[in-house]
Amino acid sequence: MTRSSEAVAGRKPQSRRWRRFVRGGGVELVLLIAGILFLWSVISQNIPNPGRYLPSPVSVVLSSYDVIWKGLLPNYIGQTLWRLVIGSVIGLLLGIPFGIALGLNRTVSDMFYPIMNFFQSISGIAILPIIVVWWGNSEKTVFVVILYTCFFPIAFNVLTGVRSTPMILVNALRTLGASRLRIVKDVLIPSAMPHIATGARLGIGYAWRAVIAGEMLAGRRGLGWMIFTAQDADLTAQVILGMVMIGVIWIMIDRFALRPIEADTIQRWGLVQR
Amino acid sequence: MPAKLVVDRLSHHYPDEYTGEDVHALDQVSLSVEDGEFSAVVGPSGCGKTTLLNILAGLLPHTEGSVQVDGREVQGPGPDRGVVFQEHAILPWRTVARNIGHGLEIQRLPRREREQKVQEFIDLVGLSGFEERYPHELSGGMKQRCALARTLCANPVVMLMDEPFAAVDAQTRITLQEELNRIAIATRKTILFITHNVDEAAFLGDRCFIFSRRPGKLKATVKINVPREQRIWKDLLSEKAYTDPRDEILRLVREEVFDDEE
């Protein structure tokens, strides 16, 4: 008797986790991924010279064995993440105060709004050539591109957030005798939080693309560099491995770093309804 | 009794936001509110009631005439005048307690004193048990109680209220009106209450100022001779001391609304 009830108690959390997985569409997702891999294998087997044009999933996995064994892949991923983190932290530190400062004055923000919109539309890849002209194939070039890429979406979204603060909240604080600085701290920044979070997510997302592109043209080591050199060496399996890693790592950054920050502040305040 | 709020020949013009035409919102308005008095401003929509409140609050600069609170000319917003807005003026990212204590935080009152004061006003407006809730978890009526407590807690000389109950349902409104009456008596606040609802004005006010259509002018002043302690809806509806001045106010306001049809 005791044994069987222990067994039931022991099995319970596992089955709960399974049910959550099923309810969250986990089964469908696994089937979808399996389907894509299957289709990929079928195509790979029916074209001439798949090693050059489209290596099968199995050979991609096997090629990863080689780069992991030599310690290259972890090293490259670390290098790329390091560039992303430094670049986007500086981007956030500059972009958020800049966006807030512009948003404080209506005339100034009206003037800067189209300019900010203009620059945020020019992607990092589009400015890479001129940066290479200025700073050559150096580490500096990669950082400048990342910084540029995340600065404008962050600053632009923060500016939008500050501008869309309901006037009545600002007025309520003014009638309580609040100073300008306090209005910024207690009203404008919290009110702009959803936009700040969106800006950060967009900016870091763009920066993730920019760092890969930057590494291809100007970097040493890193995932982008790996893809580029693998193509030169005719190692298509490694090129695909690099692409897959880029996507997988981004999903992990988004899921475990960016989304929780958003959920923690904004949803608790009821600013975004789910 | 000394007047706490004195408005003297106040006029206001502003250019229309879209057409740029000159709008004459207020015309030579003179009125005064005495210490501890509850005054109600009532008039048809577009009579410049909200413009008047914004000028008194210091949110809108005035060019003609004067506005004095406690003998000092109003220049910009200040903690001597507390405002309760129509709706949604409490901060969604602050809990009830932190919203209510916001004015005292700005006045840099020490934490312990502040918390004591905040609790006092939470109890006064009947929000006990909701201290740590966020505004989105509250009903419309509770949000307005919170806004009212925030203004009261900062202890202004004069309280200005801009149709604070316009956005809540009829049942809640009746309760809030009785509660506000009780709170106003308990705190002895000097209040200027703006509304377009004649019953509300007559129920709450010691005196009611009736405004004409634009340009807003003070058309008449009606005194309500029911002691505020006796104002409960179910008793008041059959009381001549309430219904007579209420009907008078209704007549005066209707003249403004239906003027075109004569």
Side-chain angles (χ1 to χ4, degrees):
Chain A
M1 274 301 276
T2 33
R3 254 191 154 190
S4 70
S5 67
E6 258 170 33
V8 168
R11 233 176 50 212
K12 216 175 176 185
Q14 208 177 2
S15 73
R16 196 178 297 159
R17 199 178 301 160
W18 169 249
R19 253 179 287 150
R20 201 189 302 153
F21 178 75
V22 171
R23 213 179 311 130
V27 176
E28 288 86 341
L29 183 66
V30 167
L31 287 175
L32 193 64
I33 293 171
I36 291 168
L37 291 175
F38 176 74
L39 198 67
W40 173 4
S41 306
V42 170
I43 295 169
S44 174
Q45 269 162 14
N46 290 290
I47 56 172
N49 197 359
R52 179 172 164 77
Y53 295 105
L54 186 67
S56 69
V58 176
S59 46
V60 169
V61 172
L62 288 177
S63 81
S64 79
Y65 186 76
D66 194 42
V67 275
I68 291 169
W69 182 248
K70 288 179 187 158
L72 288 175
L73 192 64
N75 187 315
Y76 288 167
I77 289 173
Q79 181 69 30
T80 302
L81 282 176
W82 170 249
R83 284 170 175 146
L84 176 78
V85 169
I86 297 295
S88 42
V89 165
I90 298 173
L92 289 168
L93 289 179
L94 295 176
I96 294 174
F98 189 72
I100 291 167
L102 286 189
L104 291 183
N105 185 298
R106 197 83 211 176
T107 323
V108 173
S109 82
D110 281 349
M111 210 168 73
F112 270 88
Y113 197 84
I115 296 169
M116 302 292 289
N117 205 357
F118 173 81
F119 278 110
Q120 74 138 9
S121 78
I122 306 175
S123 72
I125 296 154
I127 70 141
L128 241 174
I130 191 113
I131 303 294
V132 171
V133 170
W134 291 342
W135 282 297
N137 293 346
S138 65
E139 195 69 8
K140 205 187 215 166
T141 296
V142 182
F143 276 115
V144 169
V145 169
I146 300 172
L147 193 59
Y148 167 89
T149 311
C150 64
F151 175 82
F152 283 101
I154 291 168
F156 181 73
N157 275 283
V158 173
L159 171 63
T160 309
V162 172
R163 278 166 66 109
S164 59
T165 302
M167 206 51 210
I168 195 167
L169 297 182
V170 175
N171 282 343
L173 264 264
R174 289 173 71 199
T175 62
L176 286 173
S179 65
R180 219 173 146 74
L181 186 68
R182 187 174 274 280
I183 290 172
V184 172
K185 190 165 75 72
D186 289 1
V187 182
L188 296 182
I189 293 177
S191 170
M193 265 315 282
H195 287 87
I196 294 175
T198 306
R201 248 177 99 186
L202 274 178
I204 295 170
Y206 293 156
W208 182 238
R209 298 168 203 189
V211 66
I212 305 295
E215 283 172 349
M216 286 186 176
L217 285 187
R220 288 283 169 274
R221 303 191 293 149
L223 277 175
W225 192 72
M226 181 184 101
I227 294 175
F228 211 62
T229 47
Q231 189 223 338
D232 262 358
D234 219 4
L235 295 167
T236 311
Q238 237 183 67
V239 172
I240 294 174
L241 174 70
M243 289 161 59
V244 173
M245 291 316 294
I246 290 167
V248 169
I249 292 168
W250 173 253
I251 284 174
M252 278 158 62
I253 294 172
D254 194 50
R255 175 75 181 75
F256 296 108
L258 301 179
R259 273 173 195 272
I261 297 171
E262 204 175 10
D264 222 43
T265 50
I266 299 160
Q267 280 172 36
R268 185 161 52 104
W269 299 338
L271 297 180
V272 175
Q273 301 291 329
R274 282 242 155 154
Chain B
M1 260 203 288
K4 281 283 168 187
L5 173 70
V6 179
V7 178
D8 189 28
R9 281 163 292 166
L10 179 72
S11 296
H12 189 73
H13 295 258
Y14 63 89
D16 185 275
E17 207 177 319
Y18 300 105
T19 62
E21 276 172 55
D22 184 72
V23 179
H24 192 180
L26 293 172
D27 185 33
Q28 298 278 316
V29 174
S30 296
L31 58 86
S32 68
V33 185
E34 263 141 46
D35 192 9
E37 188 183 23
F38 198 124
S39 61
V41 171
V42 56
S45 352
C47 73
K49 300 188 298 276
T50 296
T51 305
L52 174 69
L53 182 124
N54 283 333
I55 290 172
L56 300 188
L59 296 170
L60 208 61
H62 61 285
T63 44
E64 287 174 57
S66 92
V67 177
Q68 293 189 337
V69 171
D70 242 355
R72 278 189 304 273
E73 187 70 18
V74 162
Q75 280 164 335
D80 56 336
R81 283 146 292 137
V83 183
V84 181
F85 293 93
Q86 206 169 51
E87 55 178 331
H88 302 317
I90 51 174
L91 304 182
W93 43 86
R94 282 187 169 235
T95 60
V96 167
R98 295 201 63 218
N99 262 301
I100 293 174
H102 209 160
L104 298 178
E105 211 178 302
I106 290 164
Q107 292 168 22
R108 298 181 188 285
L109 202 75
R111 196 199 182 102
R112 182 170 298 179
E113 277 178 71
R114 192 169 79 213
E115 281 171 359
Q116 210 176 336
K117 266 271 173 73
V118 166
Q119 196 55 52
E120 197 182 302
F121 284 99
I122 284 174
D123 295 340
L124 183 71
V125 300
L127 280 175
S128 313
F130 292 91
E131 290 85 348
E132 299 310 315
R133 297 295 186 86
Y134 285 90
H136 73 101
E137 300 173 293
L138 305 179
S139 67
M142 287 163 94
K143 278 183 200 158
Q144 279 311 56
R145 285 167 195 263
C146 180
L148 177 65
R150 177 177 68 177
T151 306
L152 282 168
C153 197
N155 196 24
V157 178
V158 177
M159 257 181 53
L160 308 168
M161 306 184 76
D162 186 12
E163 306 208 28
F165 307 145
V168 298
D169 63 87
Q171 288 307 314
T172 310
R173 190 178 310 139
I174 285 170
T175 318
L176 286 175
Q177 286 159 352
E178 290 186 338
E179 292 265 301
L180 176 62
N181 183 48
R182 174 181 65 78
I183 290 163
I185 294 166
T187 56
R188 294 191 202 88
K189 278 283 164 224
T190 306
I191 298 174
L192 186 104
F193 187 102
I194 283 173
T195 180
H196 64 261
N197 183 325
V198 171
D199 286 294
E200 185 168 77
F203 176 81
L204 288 167
D206 289 314
R207 273 193 303 165
C208 296
F209 300 117
I210 292 93
F211 271 52
S212 70
R213 278 185 315 176
R214 188 177 288 162
K217 273 192 291 259
L218 180 57
K219 185 180 182 183
T221 306
V222 175
K223 215 164 152 36
I224 315 289
N225 287 316
V226 181
R228 271 155 65 194
E229 288 76 8
Q230 291 172 21
R231 297 189 187 184
I232 298 161
W233 274 116
K234 69 174 169 60
D235 299 342
L236 224 52
L237 290 172
S238 51
E239 180 105 35
K240 268 186 88 62
Y242 164 77
T243 52
D244 282 355
R246 195 241 3 233
D247 293 345
E248 171 71 2
I249 298 168
L250 194 59
R251 190 182 61 74
L252 288 163
V253 172
R254 278 204 170 155
E255 275 175 7
E256 294 303 317
V257 180
F258 297 118
D259 236 11
D260 290 340
E261 294 166 20
E262 286 172 18

